[in-house]
Amino acid sequence: MKNSLLLLLLSMIFISCGNDFRVKGTISSDVINGEYVYIKRVQNGVTLTVDSCKVQHGTFEMSGSADSVYITSLYIGNVPILPFVAEKGSIELQITDNAVIVGGTPLNDELNALIRKQAALEERMAEFERLETSLILNGSSAEAAADCVSDSIAAVGAAVEALMNSYVRRNFDNVLGPCIFALMYSAVPAPILDDKLNALYNDAPPSFRNDAFVKAFYDVARENAAR
């Protein structure tokens, strides 16, 4: 009887640990040392703290349950710093002055690949913006400088949009799809249902369409298009 109870207890512990995720992170800024960082998730409109710890010597470790896969974020205080996927395994987060890195599990590796490609395009955009400023400082009018770089800036903007759309489609069937979609469109003040958005919606599975943000966004976009 005692052996049976012991085996049951051990099996429960094993199952519990098997569904956990662990986060190991580094932060380069000395300002953060001694401060608390948090893992938080939004569930049913409520922000919940999954775990927290103090940053010591630029490192931190936390953990949580991964009975289901969900999007969560690393917070410093009440400020979200880096989204990542809570899924079974060991997750690595790195935050430096120049970059953020998330990885260690399949969906976080996928998210990191998007972050890297987006960062490269944003740096390209910044180069053209610096060129525009340089032209003005060297005597060009603001209009002439803007005309000089407008096509290049528009091309980079289109590349960013295409990149994000491709990653949404690649991840229709997991939590990254709605997350990336929200990152793309959360700042759009008055969405309108155009051909690209309509095609994306029509190609998406029900799991994507029924996401709370996606559903609300498309409802507003349809209303605006109808007007």
Side-chain angles (χ1 to χ4, degrees), residues 90-161:
S90 181
I91 301 167
E92 299 176 3
L93 304 179
Q94 298 180 37
I95 302 173
T96 69
D97 293 336
N98 300 317
V100 295
I101 298 173
V102 55
T105 60
L107 290 180
N108 283 304
D109 289 341
E110 175 80 350
L111 178 59
N112 190 65
L114 172 62
I115 291 172
R116 299 272 69 74
K117 292 176 181 178
Q118 185 182 14
L121 288 170
E122 288 176 349
E123 175 56 31
R124 187 66 174 154
M125 179 78 77
E127 289 177 3
F128 290 120
E129 291 171 347
R130 288 193 292 268
L131 174 59
E132 181 179 2
T133 300
S134 177
L135 290 171
I136 294 172
L137 292 175
N138 285 303
S140 294
S141 67
E143 293 79 7
D147 287 342
C148 183
V149 299
S150 61
D151 289 344
S152 298
I153 288 178
V156 176
V160 171
E161 183 181 359

Side-chain angles (χ1 to χ4, degrees), residues 118-213:
Q118 185 182 14
L121 288 170
E122 288 176 349
E123 175 56 31
R124 187 66 174 154
M125 179 78 77
E127 289 177 3
F128 290 120
E129 291 171 347
R130 288 193 292 268
L131 174 59
E132 181 179 2
T133 300
S134 177
L135 290 171
I136 294 172
L137 292 175
N138 285 303
S140 294
S141 67
E143 293 79 7
D147 287 342
C148 183
V149 299
S150 61
D151 289 344
S152 298
I153 288 178
V156 176
V160 171
E161 183 181 359
L163 173 68
M164 299 289 275
N165 270 305
S166 71
Y167 266 76
V168 170
R169 288 178 175 275
R170 280 174 55 172
N171 295 280
F172 267 154
D173 294 319
N174 63 63
V175 295
L176 277 182
C179 173
I180 297 169
F181 184 88
L183 290 174
M184 275 186 74
Y185 292 109
S186 59
V188 176
I192 295 178
L193 190 63
D194 58 16
D195 291 341
K196 288 182 181 179
L197 279 171
N198 196 45
L200 188 71
Y201 185 83
N202 289 334
D203 293 342
S207 58
F208 178 87
R209 297 184 190 183
N210 291 330
D211 174 82
F213 177 87

Side-chain angles (χ1 to χ4, degrees), residues 38 40 42 47 72-83 95:
Y38 304 82
K40 296 183 182 182
V42 177
T47 301
T72 186
S73 292
L74 178 72
Y75 279 68
I76 298 176
N78 292 319
V79 180
I81 302 300
L82 178 61
I95 302 173

